[in-house]
Amino acid sequence: MNQEKVKELLDEALLENESLFLIDLQFLANSKIKVIVDGDSGVPLNECMRISRKIEHNLDREEDDFSLEVTTPDIAHPLTVKRQYKKNINRILKVKTATEEFEGTLTQATDENITLFWKAREPKPIGKGKHTVEKTIVLPYEEIKEAKVKIIF
């Protein structure tokens, strides 16, 4: 299997629709190729089919027998590409670092870091009881071990 040829064809297919971007390309056992793509505003089924055809029709099955799967990340898949963070602004994320876990609304995603916002109940500084405080944290991407979008039904 010519992996470079597959990568080249995939890049060409993604260039045809600039709102799409690659999450993962895997060459698995038994000549299986798995492509995971995402888009700034989702990925319609016809785009997965277009990418699949672009790759499949330009490879010779006589030379290499292979299976090809073009899919989108499932809902439980963690965010792995910076562009995924940008598309999920204003959604609630669960973010794990090496030492802590945060859950908050993603308010900003730059090339270096993300910003989360949430409200928390904390003891009052004076007197009894609790009050609501607003919290914000800026996390550099290199500190993020895992980030998932929280699904609310």
Short mmCIF file of all heavy atoms in Angstrom, two decimals, residues 21-89:
data_model
loop_
_atom_site.label_atom_id
_atom_site.label_comp_id
_atom_site.label_asym_id
_atom_site.label_seq_id
_atom_site.Cartn_x
_atom_site.Cartn_y
_atom_site.Cartn_z
N PHE A 21 -11.24 19.39 7.71
CA PHE A 21 -9.87 19.19 8.14
C PHE A 21 -9.69 17.77 8.66
O PHE A 21 -10.63 17.13 9.12
CB PHE A 21 -9.44 20.23 9.19
CG PHE A 21 -10.36 20.37 10.37
CD1 PHE A 21 -10.12 19.67 11.54
CD2 PHE A 21 -11.47 21.20 10.31
CE1 PHE A 21 -10.96 19.80 12.63
CE2 PHE A 21 -12.32 21.34 11.40
CZ PHE A 21 -12.06 20.64 12.56
N LEU A 22 -8.45 17.31 8.59
CA LEU A 22 -8.12 15.93 8.97
C LEU A 22 -7.94 15.81 10.48
O LEU A 22 -7.26 16.63 11.09
CB LEU A 22 -6.83 15.49 8.27
CG LEU A 22 -6.34 14.09 8.56
CD1 LEU A 22 -7.32 13.05 8.04
CD2 LEU A 22 -4.96 13.88 7.94
N ILE A 23 -8.55 14.81 11.05
CA ILE A 23 -8.35 14.47 12.46
C ILE A 23 -7.34 13.33 12.58
O ILE A 23 -6.41 13.39 13.37
CB ILE A 23 -9.68 14.05 13.14
CG1 ILE A 23 -10.71 15.17 13.07
CG2 ILE A 23 -9.45 13.60 14.57
CD1 ILE A 23 -10.30 16.44 13.79
N ASP A 24 -7.53 12.29 11.77
CA ASP A 24 -6.63 11.14 11.88
C ASP A 24 -6.64 10.35 10.57
O ASP A 24 -7.67 10.25 9.90
CB ASP A 24 -7.06 10.24 13.04
CG ASP A 24 -5.99 9.26 13.48
OD1 ASP A 24 -4.82 9.42 13.07
OD2 ASP A 24 -6.32 8.34 14.25
N LEU A 25 -5.50 9.80 10.23
CA LEU A 25 -5.35 8.88 9.10
C LEU A 25 -4.60 7.68 9.63
O LEU A 25 -3.49 7.82 10.14
CB LEU A 25 -4.58 9.55 7.96
CG LEU A 25 -4.15 8.65 6.80
CD1 LEU A 25 -5.34 8.01 6.12
CD2 LEU A 25 -3.32 9.45 5.80
N GLN A 26 -5.23 6.50 9.52
CA GLN A 26 -4.62 5.29 10.06
C GLN A 26 -4.51 4.23 8.95
O GLN A 26 -5.44 4.05 8.17
CB GLN A 26 -5.47 4.71 11.20
CG GLN A 26 -5.65 5.64 12.37
CD GLN A 26 -6.65 5.08 13.38
OE1 GLN A 26 -7.29 4.06 13.18
NE2 GLN A 26 -6.78 5.79 14.49
N PHE A 27 -3.38 3.56 8.93
CA PHE A 27 -3.18 2.41 8.06
C PHE A 27 -3.15 1.20 8.98
O PHE A 27 -2.18 0.99 9.70
CB PHE A 27 -1.88 2.56 7.27
CG PHE A 27 -1.92 3.72 6.31
CD1 PHE A 27 -1.43 4.96 6.70
CD2 PHE A 27 -2.46 3.58 5.05
CE1 PHE A 27 -1.46 6.03 5.83
CE2 PHE A 27 -2.51 4.65 4.18
CZ PHE A 27 -2.01 5.89 4.56
N LEU A 28 -4.24 0.44 8.96
CA LEU A 28 -4.42 -0.66 9.90
C LEU A 28 -4.06 -1.99 9.25
O LEU A 28 -3.76 -2.07 8.05
CB LEU A 28 -5.86 -0.67 10.40
CG LEU A 28 -6.34 0.66 11.02
CD1 LEU A 28 -7.84 0.65 11.22
CD2 LEU A 28 -5.62 0.94 12.32
N ALA A 29 -4.14 -3.05 10.04
CA ALA A 29 -3.86 -4.40 9.55
C ALA A 29 -4.85 -4.76 8.44
O ALA A 29 -5.93 -4.17 8.33
CB ALA A 29 -3.95 -5.40 10.70
N ASN A 30 -4.50 -5.73 7.65
CA ASN A 30 -5.35 -6.23 6.56
C ASN A 30 -5.65 -5.15 5.52
O ASN A 30 -6.74 -5.10 4.98
CB ASN A 30 -6.65 -6.82 7.09
CG ASN A 30 -6.42 -7.99 8.03
OD1 ASN A 30 -5.41 -8.69 7.90
ND2 ASN A 30 -7.32 -8.20 8.95
N SER A 31 -4.70 -4.24 5.31
CA SER A 31 -4.82 -3.18 4.30
C SER A 31 -6.07 -2.33 4.47
O SER A 31 -6.74 -1.96 3.52
CB SER A 31 -4.80 -3.79 2.89
OG SER A 31 -3.57 -4.41 2.65
N LYS A 32 -6.38 -2.02 5.72
CA LYS A 32 -7.53 -1.15 5.99
C LYS A 32 -7.04 0.27 6.21
O LYS A 32 -6.09 0.50 6.96
CB LYS A 32 -8.29 -1.64 7.23
CG LYS A 32 -9.51 -0.81 7.53
CD LYS A 32 -10.34 -1.36 8.67
CE LYS A 32 -11.53 -0.46 8.89
NZ LYS A 32 -12.40 -0.92 9.95
N ILE A 33 -7.70 1.21 5.53
CA ILE A 33 -7.38 2.62 5.67
C ILE A 33 -8.55 3.28 6.37
O ILE A 33 -9.70 3.14 5.94
CB ILE A 33 -7.17 3.29 4.29
CG1 ILE A 33 -6.11 2.55 3.48
CG2 ILE A 33 -6.82 4.76 4.46
CD1 ILE A 33 -6.09 2.92 2.02
N LYS A 34 -8.26 4.01 7.45
CA LYS A 34 -9.32 4.71 8.18
C LYS A 34 -8.99 6.20 8.20
O LYS A 34 -7.91 6.59 8.64
CB LYS A 34 -9.45 4.18 9.61
CG LYS A 34 -10.60 4.82 10.37
CD LYS A 34 -10.83 4.16 11.71
CE LYS A 34 -12.04 4.79 12.39
NZ LYS A 34 -12.33 4.16 13.67
N VAL A 35 -9.93 7.00 7.70
CA VAL A 35 -9.77 8.44 7.63
C VAL A 35 -10.85 9.07 8.51
O VAL A 35 -12.03 8.75 8.36
CB VAL A 35 -9.94 8.94 6.18
CG1 VAL A 35 -9.82 10.46 6.12
CG2 VAL A 35 -8.92 8.28 5.26
N ILE A 36 -10.44 9.95 9.43
CA ILE A 36 -11.40 10.67 10.27
C ILE A 36 -11.26 12.15 9.94
O ILE A 36 -10.18 12.73 10.08
CB ILE A 36 -11.15 10.43 11.77
CG1 ILE A 36 -11.21 8.94 12.09
CG2 ILE A 36 -12.18 11.20 12.60
CD1 ILE A 36 -10.86 8.58 13.52
N VAL A 37 -12.36 12.75 9.46
CA VAL A 37 -12.37 14.17 9.10
C VAL A 37 -13.43 14.90 9.90
O VAL A 37 -14.42 14.31 10.34
CB VAL A 37 -12.62 14.39 7.59
CG1 VAL A 37 -11.48 13.85 6.76
CG2 VAL A 37 -13.93 13.79 7.15
N ASP A 38 -13.21 16.18 10.11
CA ASP A 38 -14.18 17.04 10.79
C ASP A 38 -14.31 18.30 9.96
O ASP A 38 -13.52 18.54 9.05
CB ASP A 38 -13.70 17.36 12.22
CG ASP A 38 -14.85 17.71 13.16
OD1 ASP A 38 -15.98 17.94 12.67
OD2 ASP A 38 -14.63 17.76 14.37
N GLY A 39 -15.31 19.10 10.29
CA GLY A 39 -15.53 20.33 9.55
C GLY A 39 -15.90 21.46 10.49
O GLY A 39 -16.40 21.22 11.59
N ASP A 40 -15.66 22.67 10.04
CA ASP A 40 -15.96 23.83 10.86
C ASP A 40 -17.45 23.91 11.22
O ASP A 40 -17.82 24.43 12.27
CB ASP A 40 -15.53 25.11 10.15
CG ASP A 40 -14.02 25.18 9.98
OD1 ASP A 40 -13.29 24.68 10.87
OD2 ASP A 40 -13.56 25.73 8.96
N SER A 41 -18.29 23.38 10.35
CA SER A 41 -19.73 23.34 10.66
C SER A 41 -20.28 21.96 10.39
O SER A 41 -21.35 21.79 9.80
CB SER A 41 -20.47 24.42 9.86
OG SER A 41 -20.17 24.30 8.50
N GLY A 42 -19.53 20.95 10.82
CA GLY A 42 -19.96 19.57 10.63
C GLY A 42 -19.51 19.03 9.29
O GLY A 42 -18.92 19.75 8.47
N VAL A 43 -19.79 17.75 9.05
CA VAL A 43 -19.40 17.10 7.80
C VAL A 43 -20.62 16.36 7.25
O VAL A 43 -21.06 15.37 7.83
CB VAL A 43 -18.25 16.09 8.02
CG1 VAL A 43 -17.83 15.46 6.70
CG2 VAL A 43 -17.06 16.75 8.69
N PRO A 44 -21.17 16.84 6.13
CA PRO A 44 -22.29 16.13 5.53
C PRO A 44 -21.84 14.77 4.98
O PRO A 44 -20.68 14.60 4.60
CB PRO A 44 -22.75 17.04 4.39
CG PRO A 44 -21.98 18.30 4.51
CD PRO A 44 -20.84 18.07 5.43
N LEU A 45 -22.75 13.83 4.92
CA LEU A 45 -22.46 12.49 4.43
C LEU A 45 -21.88 12.53 3.02
O LEU A 45 -20.95 11.79 2.70
CB LEU A 45 -23.72 11.62 4.46
CG LEU A 45 -23.58 10.19 3.95
CD1 LEU A 45 -22.55 9.43 4.78
CD2 LEU A 45 -24.91 9.48 3.98
N ASN A 46 -22.41 13.42 2.16
CA ASN A 46 -21.91 13.46 0.78
C ASN A 46 -20.44 13.87 0.72
O ASN A 46 -19.74 13.51 -0.22
CB ASN A 46 -22.78 14.35 -0.10
CG ASN A 46 -22.77 15.80 0.30
OD1 ASN A 46 -22.45 16.14 1.45
ND2 ASN A 46 -23.11 16.67 -0.63
N GLU A 47 -19.95 14.62 1.71
CA GLU A 47 -18.53 14.97 1.74
C GLU A 47 -17.67 13.76 2.09
O GLU A 47 -16.59 13.58 1.53
CB GLU A 47 -18.27 16.12 2.72
CG GLU A 47 -18.69 17.47 2.18
CD GLU A 47 -17.89 17.88 0.95
OE1 GLU A 47 -16.66 18.05 1.04
OE2 GLU A 47 -18.50 18.02 -0.13
N CYS A 48 -18.14 12.93 3.01
CA CYS A 48 -17.41 11.68 3.33
C CYS A 48 -17.35 10.79 2.08
O CYS A 48 -16.32 10.20 1.77
CB CYS A 48 -18.09 10.93 4.47
SG CYS A 48 -17.88 11.69 6.09
N MET A 49 -18.47 10.73 1.36
CA MET A 49 -18.52 9.91 0.14
C MET A 49 -17.58 10.49 -0.92
O MET A 49 -16.87 9.74 -1.61
CB MET A 49 -19.95 9.82 -0.39
CG MET A 49 -20.84 9.01 0.53
SD MET A 49 -22.61 8.91 0.16
CE MET A 49 -22.87 9.72 -1.34
N ARG A 50 -17.54 11.81 -1.06
CA ARG A 50 -16.67 12.46 -2.05
C ARG A 50 -15.20 12.16 -1.75
O ARG A 50 -14.42 11.81 -2.65
CB ARG A 50 -16.93 13.97 -2.07
CG ARG A 50 -16.07 14.70 -3.10
CD ARG A 50 -16.24 16.21 -3.00
NE ARG A 50 -15.80 16.75 -1.72
CZ ARG A 50 -14.53 16.97 -1.38
NH1 ARG A 50 -13.55 16.68 -2.21
NH2 ARG A 50 -14.22 17.49 -0.21
N ILE A 51 -14.82 12.28 -0.48
CA ILE A 51 -13.43 12.00 -0.08
C ILE A 51 -13.09 10.54 -0.34
O ILE A 51 -12.03 10.21 -0.87
CB ILE A 51 -13.20 12.38 1.40
CG1 ILE A 51 -13.30 13.90 1.57
CG2 ILE A 51 -11.85 11.87 1.89
CD1 ILE A 51 -13.39 14.36 3.01
N SER A 52 -14.00 9.65 0.01
CA SER A 52 -13.80 8.22 -0.20
C SER A 52 -13.59 7.91 -1.69
O SER A 52 -12.67 7.19 -2.07
CB SER A 52 -15.00 7.44 0.34
OG SER A 52 -14.84 6.06 0.10
N ARG A 53 -14.45 8.49 -2.54
CA ARG A 53 -14.33 8.25 -3.98
C ARG A 53 -13.01 8.80 -4.53
O ARG A 53 -12.38 8.17 -5.37
CB ARG A 53 -15.50 8.89 -4.71
CG ARG A 53 -16.77 8.12 -4.56
CD ARG A 53 -17.86 8.67 -5.46
NE ARG A 53 -19.13 8.09 -5.07
CZ ARG A 53 -20.16 8.78 -4.58
NH1 ARG A 53 -20.09 10.09 -4.47
NH2 ARG A 53 -21.27 8.16 -4.22
N LYS A 54 -12.62 9.98 -4.05
CA LYS A 54 -11.38 10.61 -4.52
C LYS A 54 -10.19 9.68 -4.27
O LYS A 54 -9.32 9.52 -5.13
CB LYS A 54 -11.18 11.95 -3.81
CG LYS A 54 -9.88 12.64 -4.12
CD LYS A 54 -9.94 13.37 -5.43
CE LYS A 54 -8.69 14.18 -5.64
NZ LYS A 54 -8.74 14.94 -6.85
N ILE A 55 -10.17 9.07 -3.10
CA ILE A 55 -9.06 8.16 -2.76
C ILE A 55 -9.21 6.85 -3.51
O ILE A 55 -8.29 6.39 -4.19
CB ILE A 55 -9.00 7.92 -1.23
CG1 ILE A 55 -8.69 9.24 -0.50
CG2 ILE A 55 -7.98 6.84 -0.90
CD1 ILE A 55 -8.85 9.16 1.01
N GLU A 56 -10.39 6.25 -3.41
CA GLU A 56 -10.61 4.91 -3.95
C GLU A 56 -10.44 4.85 -5.47
O GLU A 56 -9.85 3.92 -6.00
CB GLU A 56 -12.01 4.44 -3.55
CG GLU A 56 -12.21 2.97 -3.67
CD GLU A 56 -13.47 2.49 -2.97
OE1 GLU A 56 -14.06 3.25 -2.18
OE2 GLU A 56 -13.84 1.34 -3.23
N HIS A 57 -10.95 5.86 -6.17
CA HIS A 57 -10.91 5.82 -7.64
C HIS A 57 -9.52 6.10 -8.20
O HIS A 57 -9.29 5.90 -9.39
CB HIS A 57 -11.92 6.81 -8.22
CG HIS A 57 -13.34 6.38 -8.00
ND1 HIS A 57 -14.40 7.14 -8.33
CD2 HIS A 57 -13.86 5.24 -7.46
CE1 HIS A 57 -15.52 6.52 -8.02
NE2 HIS A 57 -15.22 5.36 -7.48
N ASN A 58 -8.61 6.54 -7.36
CA ASN A 58 -7.26 6.84 -7.83
C ASN A 58 -6.22 5.83 -7.33
O ASN A 58 -5.02 6.05 -7.47
CB ASN A 58 -6.86 8.26 -7.42
CG ASN A 58 -7.62 9.29 -8.22
OD1 ASN A 58 -7.43 9.41 -9.41
ND2 ASN A 58 -8.53 10.00 -7.57
N LEU A 59 -6.70 4.75 -6.73
CA LEU A 59 -5.81 3.66 -6.31
C LEU A 59 -6.18 2.42 -7.11
O LEU A 59 -7.34 2.20 -7.45
CB LEU A 59 -5.95 3.38 -4.81
CG LEU A 59 -5.49 4.49 -3.86
CD1 LEU A 59 -5.79 4.09 -2.42
CD2 LEU A 59 -4.01 4.78 -4.03
N ASP A 60 -5.21 1.59 -7.38
CA ASP A 60 -5.41 0.40 -8.19
C ASP A 60 -5.67 -0.80 -7.28
O ASP A 60 -4.78 -1.25 -6.56
CB ASP A 60 -4.18 0.17 -9.05
CG ASP A 60 -4.37 -0.97 -10.04
OD1 ASP A 60 -5.47 -1.57 -10.08
OD2 ASP A 60 -3.41 -1.25 -10.77
N ARG A 61 -6.89 -1.31 -7.34
CA ARG A 61 -7.23 -2.48 -6.51
C ARG A 61 -6.52 -3.74 -7.00
O ARG A 61 -6.37 -4.70 -6.25
CB ARG A 61 -8.74 -2.70 -6.50
CG ARG A 61 -9.45 -1.73 -5.60
CD ARG A 61 -10.74 -2.36 -5.10
NE ARG A 61 -11.48 -1.42 -4.29
CZ ARG A 61 -11.41 -1.36 -2.98
NH1 ARG A 61 -10.62 -2.17 -2.33
NH2 ARG A 61 -12.12 -0.50 -2.30
N GLU A 62 -6.09 -3.75 -8.24
CA GLU A 62 -5.33 -4.90 -8.76
C GLU A 62 -3.95 -4.95 -8.09
O GLU A 62 -3.41 -6.02 -7.84
CB GLU A 62 -5.17 -4.81 -10.28
CG GLU A 62 -6.48 -4.85 -11.05
CD GLU A 62 -7.21 -6.17 -10.87
OE1 GLU A 62 -6.55 -7.23 -10.83
OE2 GLU A 62 -8.45 -6.14 -10.75
N GLU A 63 -3.42 -3.76 -7.80
CA GLU A 63 -2.10 -3.66 -7.19
C GLU A 63 -2.18 -3.90 -5.68
O GLU A 63 -1.37 -4.63 -5.10
CB GLU A 63 -1.55 -2.26 -7.47
CG GLU A 63 -0.09 -2.10 -7.18
CD GLU A 63 0.38 -0.71 -7.57
OE1 GLU A 63 0.24 -0.34 -8.76
OE2 GLU A 63 0.87 0.00 -6.68
N ASP A 64 -3.16 -3.26 -5.05
CA ASP A 64 -3.35 -3.39 -3.60
C ASP A 64 -4.82 -3.58 -3.29
O ASP A 64 -5.65 -2.74 -3.64
CB ASP A 64 -2.89 -2.11 -2.87
CG ASP A 64 -1.39 -1.95 -2.83
OD1 ASP A 64 -0.74 -2.92 -2.42
OD2 ASP A 64 -0.91 -0.88 -3.20
N ASP A 65 -5.14 -4.69 -2.63
CA ASP A 65 -6.51 -4.87 -2.17
C ASP A 65 -6.61 -4.17 -0.81
O ASP A 65 -5.80 -4.41 0.08
CB ASP A 65 -6.83 -6.36 -2.03
CG ASP A 65 -8.31 -6.57 -1.76
OD1 ASP A 65 -9.13 -5.72 -2.18
OD2 ASP A 65 -8.64 -7.58 -1.11
N PHE A 66 -7.59 -3.29 -0.66
CA PHE A 66 -7.71 -2.51 0.57
C PHE A 66 -9.17 -2.23 0.87
O PHE A 66 -10.04 -2.35 0.00
CB PHE A 66 -6.95 -1.19 0.44
CG PHE A 66 -7.49 -0.27 -0.63
CD1 PHE A 66 -8.45 0.68 -0.32
CD2 PHE A 66 -7.04 -0.37 -1.94
CE1 PHE A 66 -8.96 1.52 -1.31
CE2 PHE A 66 -7.54 0.46 -2.92
CZ PHE A 66 -8.50 1.40 -2.61
N SER A 67 -9.42 -1.87 2.11
CA SER A 67 -10.75 -1.36 2.48
C SER A 67 -10.53 0.05 2.99
O SER A 67 -9.52 0.37 3.59
CB SER A 67 -11.41 -2.24 3.54
OG SER A 67 -10.71 -2.18 4.75
N LEU A 68 -11.51 0.91 2.72
CA LEU A 68 -11.38 2.32 3.06
C LEU A 68 -12.62 2.75 3.84
O LEU A 68 -13.74 2.47 3.45
CB LEU A 68 -11.26 3.15 1.78
CG LEU A 68 -11.29 4.66 1.92
CD1 LEU A 68 -10.07 5.14 2.70
CD2 LEU A 68 -11.33 5.32 0.55
N GLU A 69 -12.37 3.43 4.96
CA GLU A 69 -13.46 3.97 5.77
C GLU A 69 -13.18 5.46 5.98
O GLU A 69 -12.13 5.84 6.49
CB GLU A 69 -13.51 3.26 7.12
CG GLU A 69 -14.58 3.79 8.05
CD GLU A 69 -14.55 3.12 9.43
OE1 GLU A 69 -13.68 2.25 9.66
OE2 GLU A 69 -15.40 3.49 10.25
N VAL A 70 -14.13 6.30 5.55
CA VAL A 70 -14.04 7.74 5.78
C VAL A 70 -15.18 8.09 6.72
O VAL A 70 -16.35 7.85 6.42
CB VAL A 70 -14.15 8.55 4.47
CG1 VAL A 70 -14.11 10.05 4.77
CG2 VAL A 70 -13.03 8.17 3.51
N THR A 71 -14.83 8.65 7.87
CA THR A 71 -15.83 8.89 8.91
C THR A 71 -15.54 10.20 9.62
O THR A 71 -14.55 10.86 9.36
CB THR A 71 -15.84 7.70 9.90
OG1 THR A 71 -16.88 7.86 10.85
CG2 THR A 71 -14.52 7.57 10.63
N THR A 72 -16.44 10.56 10.52
CA THR A 72 -16.26 11.75 11.36
C THR A 72 -16.02 11.27 12.79
O THR A 72 -16.37 10.14 13.14
CB THR A 72 -17.50 12.65 11.32
OG1 THR A 72 -18.64 11.91 11.74
CG2 THR A 72 -17.74 13.18 9.91
N PRO A 73 -15.44 12.12 13.65
CA PRO A 73 -15.21 11.68 15.03
C PRO A 73 -16.54 11.45 15.74
O PRO A 73 -17.49 12.23 15.56
CB PRO A 73 -14.43 12.83 15.67
CG PRO A 73 -14.50 13.97 14.72
CD PRO A 73 -14.96 13.47 13.41
N ASP A 74 -16.61 10.38 16.52
CA ASP A 74 -17.86 10.15 17.25
C ASP A 74 -17.95 11.10 18.43
O ASP A 74 -17.00 11.79 18.78
CB ASP A 74 -18.01 8.68 17.67
CG ASP A 74 -16.98 8.22 18.67
OD1 ASP A 74 -16.48 9.05 19.46
OD2 ASP A 74 -16.66 7.02 18.68
N ILE A 75 -19.12 11.13 19.03
CA ILE A 75 -19.42 12.11 20.06
C ILE A 75 -18.54 11.96 21.29
O ILE A 75 -18.28 12.93 21.99
CB ILE A 75 -20.91 12.05 20.40
CG1 ILE A 75 -21.39 13.36 20.94
CG2 ILE A 75 -21.24 10.94 21.33
CD1 ILE A 75 -22.65 13.82 20.32
N ALA A 76 -18.03 10.75 21.53
CA ALA A 76 -17.19 10.52 22.71
C ALA A 76 -15.71 10.74 22.42
O ALA A 76 -14.89 10.67 23.33
CB ALA A 76 -17.41 9.09 23.20
N HIS A 77 -15.37 11.02 21.17
CA HIS A 77 -13.98 11.21 20.77
C HIS A 77 -13.45 12.52 21.34
O HIS A 77 -14.06 13.57 21.17
CB HIS A 77 -13.91 11.23 19.24
CG HIS A 77 -12.56 11.06 18.67
ND1 HIS A 77 -11.73 12.13 18.41
CD2 HIS A 77 -11.85 9.95 18.32
CE1 HIS A 77 -10.60 11.68 17.91
NE2 HIS A 77 -10.65 10.37 17.84
N PRO A 78 -12.31 12.51 22.02
CA PRO A 78 -11.76 13.77 22.56
C PRO A 78 -11.32 14.70 21.43
O PRO A 78 -11.02 14.25 20.32
CB PRO A 78 -10.56 13.33 23.39
CG PRO A 78 -10.41 11.87 23.23
CD PRO A 78 -11.50 11.35 22.37
N LEU A 79 -11.27 15.98 21.74
CA LEU A 79 -10.78 16.96 20.78
C LEU A 79 -9.27 16.78 20.64
O LEU A 79 -8.57 16.67 21.65
CB LEU A 79 -11.10 18.38 21.25
CG LEU A 79 -12.57 18.68 21.55
CD1 LEU A 79 -12.74 20.12 22.00
CD2 LEU A 79 -13.46 18.39 20.36
N THR A 80 -8.78 16.73 19.43
CA THR A 80 -7.35 16.48 19.23
C THR A 80 -6.68 17.55 18.38
O THR A 80 -5.46 17.65 18.38
CB THR A 80 -7.12 15.11 18.55
OG1 THR A 80 -7.88 15.07 17.34
CG2 THR A 80 -7.54 13.97 19.46
N VAL A 81 -7.45 18.33 17.65
CA VAL A 81 -6.92 19.34 16.74
C VAL A 81 -7.40 20.72 17.19
O VAL A 81 -8.56 20.88 17.57
CB VAL A 81 -7.39 19.04 15.29
CG1 VAL A 81 -6.92 20.09 14.32
CG2 VAL A 81 -6.95 17.66 14.85
N LYS A 82 -6.52 21.70 17.16
CA LYS A 82 -6.87 23.06 17.62
C LYS A 82 -8.12 23.59 16.93
O LYS A 82 -8.93 24.27 17.54
CB LYS A 82 -5.70 24.02 17.39
CG LYS A 82 -4.52 23.75 18.29
CD LYS A 82 -3.38 24.70 18.00
CE LYS A 82 -2.16 24.34 18.84
NZ LYS A 82 -1.03 25.22 18.57
N ARG A 83 -8.27 23.25 15.67
CA ARG A 83 -9.43 23.74 14.91
C ARG A 83 -10.74 23.20 15.49
O ARG A 83 -11.78 23.84 15.37
CB ARG A 83 -9.26 23.32 13.45
CG ARG A 83 -10.06 24.13 12.49
CD ARG A 83 -9.49 24.01 11.10
NE ARG A 83 -10.48 24.35 10.11
CZ ARG A 83 -10.30 24.21 8.81
NH1 ARG A 83 -9.16 23.75 8.36
NH2 ARG A 83 -11.23 24.53 7.97
N GLN A 84 -10.70 22.03 16.13
CA GLN A 84 -11.90 21.49 16.77
C GLN A 84 -12.34 22.37 17.94
O GLN A 84 -13.53 22.51 18.20
CB GLN A 84 -11.65 20.07 17.28
CG GLN A 84 -11.59 19.04 16.19
CD GLN A 84 -11.35 17.66 16.77
OE1 GLN A 84 -10.30 17.40 17.34
NE2 GLN A 84 -12.33 16.78 16.63
N TYR A 85 -11.38 22.92 18.66
CA TYR A 85 -11.72 23.81 19.78
C TYR A 85 -12.45 25.03 19.26
O TYR A 85 -13.45 25.45 19.81
CB TYR A 85 -10.46 24.22 20.55
CG TYR A 85 -9.85 23.12 21.36
CD1 TYR A 85 -8.88 22.29 20.83
CD2 TYR A 85 -10.24 22.90 22.68
CE1 TYR A 85 -8.31 21.26 21.58
CE2 TYR A 85 -9.68 21.88 23.45
CZ TYR A 85 -8.72 21.06 22.88
OH TYR A 85 -8.17 20.06 23.63
N LYS A 86 -11.93 25.61 18.16
CA LYS A 86 -12.53 26.82 17.60
C LYS A 86 -13.96 26.57 17.16
O LYS A 86 -14.83 27.43 17.32
CB LYS A 86 -11.68 27.34 16.45
CG LYS A 86 -10.34 27.87 16.94
CD LYS A 86 -9.44 28.34 15.83
CE LYS A 86 -8.13 28.81 16.43
NZ LYS A 86 -7.12 29.14 15.48
N LYS A 87 -14.24 25.39 16.64
CA LYS A 87 -15.60 25.11 16.18
C LYS A 87 -16.55 24.85 17.36
O LYS A 87 -17.76 24.90 17.19
CB LYS A 87 -15.60 23.95 15.18
CG LYS A 87 -15.85 22.59 15.74
CD LYS A 87 -16.01 21.56 14.67
CE LYS A 87 -17.18 20.68 14.98
NZ LYS A 87 -17.46 19.63 14.09
N ASN A 88 -16.01 24.59 18.54
CA ASN A 88 -16.84 24.28 19.71
C ASN A 88 -16.94 25.43 20.71
O ASN A 88 -17.31 25.21 21.87
CB ASN A 88 -16.33 23.01 20.39
CG ASN A 88 -16.73 21.77 19.62
OD1 ASN A 88 -17.90 21.47 19.49
ND2 ASN A 88 -15.76 21.08 19.06
N ILE A 89 -16.62 26.64 20.28
CA ILE A 89 -16.77 27.81 21.15
C ILE A 89 -18.25 27.92 21.55
O ILE A 89 -19.14 27.67 20.75
CB ILE A 89 -16.24 29.09 20.46
CG1 ILE A 89 -14.72 29.01 20.42
CG2 ILE A 89 -16.73 30.35 21.16
CD1 ILE A 89 -14.04 30.16 19.72
#
